[in-house]
Amino acid sequence: MRDTYKHLLKLAETYSERTGLAEATISNHAVGRATLFRRLRDQKGCTVDTAILAFDWFSDHWPGDLEWPDGVPRLDDSSQEAA
């Protein structure tokens, strides 16, 4: 799970830098509460469902002209359908 948390933090950081939105705002949009990324930084974690929700949100809202961060897996539509 630690890699998952690192990946989510990288996505939040990259998205925040590109959009100018605070990570708390991004968290609120992605999972309905502003504390996700702070909790991950504080090593308090999150549920699997919350992590999936956040990954899905990033995938659906990622700017088309912004490269997805290297080393961060991205769910595609075919993998979600198979699940």
Side-chain angles (χ1 to χ4, degrees), residues 70-83:
D70 287 337
V72 177
R74 186 170 190 174
L75 299 177
D76 61 18
D77 291 335
S78 61
S79 66
Q80 290 176 358
E81 290 172 10

Side-chain angles (χ1 to χ4, degrees), residues 1-54:
M1 264 323 247
R2 297 277 182 218
D3 284 343
T4 298
Y5 300 160
K6 288 178 188 176
H7 293 156
L8 286 171
L9 289 169
K10 181 64 176 175
L11 290 171
E13 177 184 310
T14 303
Y15 192 89
S16 177
E17 288 174 0
R18 175 63 163 78
T19 64
L21 294 173
E23 288 185 0
T25 301
I26 297 166
S27 176
N28 196 43
H29 289 306
V31 300
R33 59 190 167 280
T35 59
L36 174 62
F37 305 119
R38 185 181 75 225
R39 286 184 54 80
L40 297 182
R41 281 201 176 83
D42 291 344
Q43 299 180 356
K44 293 182 181 175
C46 69
T47 67
V48 171
D49 288 342
T50 298
I52 291 170
L53 189 63

Side-chain angles (χ1 to χ4, degrees), residues 47-62:
T47 67
V48 171
D49 288 342
T50 298
I52 291 170
L53 189 63
F55 271 110
D56 284 346
W57 186 89
F58 279 118
S59 188
D60 290 345
H61 294 88
W62 201 256

